Amino acid sequence: MLFFLEQDKKTLSLMVLNPPSPSPSILKEKESASQLPSMTKAVPYSSAVQQADSRAPAHDNPHAAPTRVFSFSSSVTTSSEDTVLNEDDDDNCLVNPHTPPTSEQVFTTPHTEFGHCANEAYRYVSKHDYTKLFQERAIEEPPRYVRFATCVSILILYMLGRLRDFFGKRFAKSYFTHLMPHNGYAPLNSDLESFYLRRVKRRMDDCYGQPITGVPGRTVLILDRYSSDYNHTQIYTGGMTRALNISSYNYLAFSQGRGSWADAVAESIRRYGVSSCGTRLDSGSNDLHVCAEALIAHFLGTEDALVCSMGFATNSTFIPGLAGKGSLIISDELNHTSMRVGIRQSGAEVRIFKHNDMASLESLLREVISQGQPKTHRAWKKILVIVEGLYSMEGTLVNLPRIVELKQKYKFYLYVDEAHSIGSLGSRGRGVTDYFNIPPGSIDVLMGTFSKGFGAAGGYISGPKSLIDALRLRSHSGPYAEAITPSVIAQVVVSMASIMGVAPAPRPTKSTLFPSLDSSIVAPKESAEELPGMAPASMLPIWMNLRPSLADGSEARMRMRRLAFNCRYLHVGLKKLGFIVYGHVSSPIVPLLIFSPGKLCLFVRMMRARPIPIAVVVVAHPATSFDTGRARLCPSASHTKEDIDIVLRACDEVGDILDMKHGSCERWGIDEVCERAVELVHSV
């Protein structure tokens, strides 16, 4: 289904055409407007859009840069609820931009998926300023009455819950059958183990599990539902609410329903099907996997890489292959559960150091090296330090320069999990090594996932070729885990290639359905101390075509700069309004501290009930401690400066009502924060 815009005097009507569905790689847009049936609804800024559209030149090449103000990909289908542009009111800023586009502005996606913002002032380059010392995370404490009220509310909740359990087991046994011995069977869960789920989380299930439909872009469609039995069950009304999405991991907004990404995925399904139907060591490996692994190694500047079909499994199945009995693993206390599972399965000794505390790490290193293994005091076979590049619940950035210094001094192996930092940090999107301008060869193992910055799924391990070859055979994912599906790995290849940019090169002349690996893949250098630049065109599959704006990397660079601006603006803006905010200023994860469990659900419901609904995610126990509940805000490149203004104004009003402003920073008014946004971003 192709969308076009046509002038109709004072209004701009949305046109729809339903041609046959050929392959996306050969579909060509038609410029004839006489064949297009019009729809009834029009956008409010039609006059400006029409003038811009009429001045824009036209091209017939489907792979050329789009020149119409709204140029939609052939991957749009009538079955997608998120592709309808006129489903909301005309004056809704979630559907239409505040400022009409001009003839110089080219937008390839609807405003609901990717916000239209051409102001170059709202850009920032993500990199560490070495003229300033790296700032460790400072834990800002709220007033004592907030801690006291939080602890008292938790105590009251626990006492009332236990009291209800006591009487319920005696007078309402039907509700507690699963917690009591029944028909000779022991209960699967004890009442104490399930207490939090029954007495706390269930009352907030409408806030935790918000079902959505469509693309998780700038906005998201939430399925409306209600409960008449305190969230034991949810009843769907059949309606949907479009809300500003500030909760997804789609950092660079590559998860789109249109464009080269969607076209490549559709073409991969046509060529390879929907599944690999096997493991990597059996029959599930194909040329796309090998192409992706070579591209990842080239992207990161390492010798080799290995992909896995699940981010959680990347840590939990590969770490046991790196260390074993007689080895020592030193882990940050706030490392992700996937790493903890992998560490336990390895059989190695485990020691913990304080979160991102380099003094604690160095003290621990001195102790374990001097004492050796327990009982025998022999030297450790291997010492492996595992950290995250960007911590998902705290938003803190690892002090990588200091860790590399300790690594050179104490000679341990370093494992860095870049699940949230790859693609979202660094001037070239290479993660923490790029952000700190540290050679990737200084790190032994680089791990990352595709579900955040690349808009796909799965994960990777990258490092020396000898290590990767050993992990192919020794890790559990090789012989047991299903290989990544071709459509997902195609999304990874396109996203990564668009970040790197593709260097012009003569393509192979032989055209086959499955081109040979030698003709479609270029092996990375054996040793790379510096991050590489653009990827050779021969590194991509022969059938994969990118628009010029993706092939030269300009669109991805624009998205990375927009993401960096949005992250800094939201973080500093919340602090100036008086909130307690954790994490690094460049982090795409902005934890807004709420503390009291009772306020968590109120915050979500009040944000969702605003005139411009906002979809937020709150985090509580067991992901955090009981008294540090928080809202985890995740800006993306799809948001405009006006979107961040909307979020800040909503937080300002809701924060006053819920008494959430306990920060010690100098406070500004919301109007001053919005007016001086550029100054705020560049001042920290």
Side-chain angles (χ1 to χ4, degrees), residues 66 71-77 80 82-83 107-116 214-219 250-266 452-456 487 491 494-495 498 547 549-550 555-556 558-559 562 636-639:
S71 178
F72 300 123
S73 166
S74 59
S75 60
V76 178
T77 61
S80 175
D82 202 34
T83 61
F107 303 120
T108 59
T109 56
H111 195 56
T112 53
E113 285 189 15
F114 192 85
H116 301 161
V215 175
R218 172 180 169 268
T219 66
N250 189 18
Y251 296 141
L252 293 178
F254 285 151
S255 178
Q256 294 183 182
R258 307 161 176 79
S260 295
W261 300 278
D263 290 341
V265 170
K452 283 82 176 177
F454 301 103
S487 57
Q491 167 75 14
V494 175
S495 299
S498 64
R547 296 199 316 265
S549 61
L550 296 184
E555 183 167 339
M558 176 270 293
R559 294 184 181 224
R562 281 183 60 167
S636 74
S638 64
H639 294 117

Side-chain angles (χ1 to χ4, degrees), residues 303-357:
E303 294 181 10
D304 203 356
L306 177 61
V307 297
C308 181
S309 58
M310 184 179 178
F312 189 99
T314 307
N315 279 323
S316 60
T317 62
F318 285 125
I319 290 179
L322 295 173
K325 189 175 181 180
S327 301
L328 173 67
I329 295 179
I330 300 178
S331 174
D332 189 289
E333 65 178 350
L334 295 184
N335 275 344
H336 194 265
T337 303
S338 60
M339 284 180 277
R340 297 176 179 231
V341 172
I343 291 171
R344 291 183 187 131
Q345 292 178 345
S346 68
E349 292 288 333
V350 184
R351 297 295 297 272
I352 307 296
F353 69 95
K354 294 181 180 179
H355 173 56
N356 219 16
D357 189 332

Side-chain angles (χ1 to χ4, degrees), residues 240-508:
M240 292 179 292
T241 299
R242 183 174 292 280
L244 186 64
N245 180 21
I246 197 73
S247 59
S248 295
Y249 289 150
N250 189 18
Y251 296 141
L252 293 178
F254 285 151
S255 178
Q256 294 183 182
R258 307 161 176 79
S260 295
W261 300 278
D263 290 341
V265 170
E267 181 67 12
S268 68
I269 293 176
R270 190 183 72 83
R271 290 174 175 267
Y272 296 90
V274 296
S275 175
S276 299
C277 297
T279 65
R280 288 300 304 277
L281 294 184
D282 192 4
S283 60
S285 185
N286 57 45
D287 60 322
L288 274 180
H289 295 103
V290 181
C291 173
E293 290 172 348
L295 191 65
I296 292 168
H298 195 79
F299 178 71
L300 297 174
T302 58
E303 294 181 10
D304 203 356
L306 177 61
V307 297
C308 181
S309 58
M310 184 179 178
F312 189 99
T314 307
N315 279 323
S316 60
T317 62
F318 285 125
I319 290 179
L322 295 173
K325 189 175 181 180
S327 301
L328 173 67
I329 295 179
I330 300 178
S331 174
D332 189 289
E333 65 178 350
L334 295 184
N335 275 344
H336 194 265
T337 303
S338 60
M339 284 180 277
R340 297 176 179 231
V341 172
I343 291 171
R344 291 183 187 131
Q345 292 178 345
S346 68
E349 292 288 333
V350 184
R351 297 295 297 272
I352 307 296
F353 69 95
K354 294 181 180 179
H355 173 56
N356 219 16
D357 189 332
M358 297 300 102
S360 173
L361 174 59
E362 184 171 14
S363 175
L364 181 58
L365 284 168
R366 290 185 177 184
E367 176 189 344
V368 297
I369 292 175
S370 62
Q371 296 299 319
Q373 300 185 37
K375 297 181 181 179
T376 63
H377 297 288
R378 294 178 179 175
W380 297 100
K381 294 180 179 179
K382 186 188 304 179
I383 297 179
L384 177 64
V385 175
I386 299 181
V387 295
E388 290 189 47
L390 181 64
Y391 291 84
S392 59
M393 292 298 167
E394 306 297 316
T396 49
L397 195 62
V398 65
N399 190 350
L400 190 60
R402 179 56 179 158
I403 290 184
V404 171
E405 290 179 8
L406 294 177
K407 179 179 183 296
Q408 296 172 350
K409 181 178 181 180
Y410 294 100
K411 309 302 180 185
F412 56 80
Y413 293 100
L414 180 58
Y415 181 108
V416 179
D417 180 338
E418 291 207 86
H420 288 269
S421 56
I422 191 68
S424 63
L425 287 177
S427 59
R428 296 181 293 175
R430 267 70 165 183
V432 291
T433 57
D434 186 20
Y435 182 83
F436 289 108
N437 195 25
I438 292 178
S442 303
I443 301 173
D444 300 287
V445 184
L446 284 168
M447 176 268 173
T449 61
F450 305 127
S451 56
K452 283 82 176 177
F454 301 103
Y460 67 84
I461 289 283
S462 183
K465 182 173 177 54
S466 58
L467 173 67
I468 300 302
D469 287 341
L471 289 178
R472 293 183 195 276
L473 301 176
R474 296 176 58 184
S475 68
H476 296 163
S477 65
Y480 301 120
E482 180 82 8
I484 301 182
T485 59
S487 57
V488 174
I489 205 67
Q491 167 75 14
V492 172
V493 171
V494 175
S495 299
M496 192 169 292
S498 64
I499 294 177
M500 300 173 68
V502 181
R507 305 302 300 271

Side-chain angles (χ1 to χ4, degrees), residues 493-569:
V493 171
V494 175
S495 299
M496 192 169 292
S498 64
I499 294 177
M500 300 173 68
V502 181
R507 305 302 300 271
T509 57
K510 185 179 180 180
S511 177
T512 59
L513 186 61
F514 298 96
S516 63
L517 299 181
D518 293 336
S519 62
S520 62
I521 298 173
V522 174
K525 297 179 181 179
E526 295 184 358
S527 61
E529 289 298 323
E530 295 182 358
L531 288 173
M534 303 179 75
S538 57
M539 219 173 213
L540 303 182
I542 194 171
W543 51 266
M544 188 174 289
N545 296 305
L546 301 180
R547 296 199 316 265
S549 61
L550 296 184
D552 62 14
S554 60
E555 183 167 339
R557 288 193 295 271
M558 176 270 293
R559 294 184 181 224
M560 288 186 286
R561 293 196 296 268
R562 281 183 60 167
L563 173 64
F565 179 90
N566 292 340
C567 295
R568 296 175 73 89
Y569 178 34

Side-chain angles (χ1 to χ4, degrees), residues 47-70:
S47 178
V49 176
Q50 187 274 336
Q51 294 175 9
D53 191 42
S54 63
R55 291 194 298 267
H59 292 275
D60 289 331
N61 184 1
H63 304 301
T67 55
R68 302 181 68 89
V69 175
F70 291 100

